[in-house]
Amino acid sequence: QVQLVESGGGSVQTGGSLRLSCAASGATYSRDCMAWFRQASGKEREGVAVIHTRGGSTFYADSVKGRFTISLDNAKGTVYLQMNILQPEDTAMYYCAASRVCPYGVSRYRTEQYNYWGQGTQVTVSS
């Protein structure tokens, strides 16, 4: 089993920054891939960033590329999402997720590819 706990959400103004953290515990072999998803009110959950825990490769959705950075501290078992130049459309509940096997291509942004989920942390960006 893997447990994921997110933190770091909050309210910022347009153009501001936030750093989300996801503390992971449990079977390390069960989380070859870690990802951040988000779900805005009334919308489907979407993947925004993925990191391979063994090789460190990172991938981003087009909507956040160049603004968000996913990183991993293996010693701490923590995944981060640095979010810069935040926009009102970034407002959402942000979730950390883990997958036993890294999905490839567009599948890496699909919720069904991930086995474990955190409880989420709210990010609100005001104009």
Side-chain angles (χ1 to χ4, degrees):
Q1 286 292 330
V2 176
Q3 294 78 43
L4 304 172
V5 179
E6 303 97 332
S7 61
S11 297
V12 296
Q13 293 188 325
T14 297
S17 298
L18 281 174
R19 189 177 80 154
L20 306 183
S21 299
C22 171
S25 60
T28 55
Y29 58 83
S30 291
R31 38 189 169 100
D32 275 4
C33 257
M34 301 290 293
W36 286 97
F37 283 73
R38 66 185 181 187
Q39 187 167 19
S41 181
K43 295 188 177 181
E44 292 187 355
R45 194 171 298 189
E46 62 172 356
V48 297
V50 179
I51 187 165
H52 290 191
T53 60
R54 298 183 188 274
S57 298
T58 58
F59 305 89
Y60 299 93
D62 288 343
S63 57
V64 306
K65 201 171 293 183
R67 301 187 299 123
F68 289 13
T69 302
I70 188 170
S71 61
L72 171 68
D73 185 332
N74 269 317
K76 294 183 178 179
T78 301
V79 177
Y80 303 97
L81 186 68
Q82 177 67 44
M83 305 185 295
N84 298 326
I85 319 175
L86 283 162
Q87 303 296 313
E89 52 266 35
D90 295 317
T91 294
M93 184 72 79
Y94 283 72
Y95 297 90
C96 179
S99 175
R100 297 187 193 97
V101 177
C102 287
Y104 287 85
V106 296
S107 294
R108 59 173 60 101
Y109 302 114
R110 293 183 177 153
T111 58
E112 63 268 25
Q113 299 294 327
Y114 293 82
N115 311 103
Y116 306 100
W117 293 86
Q119 82 289 349
T121 186
Q122 178 68 37
V123 171
T124 302
V125 185
S126 58
S127 56

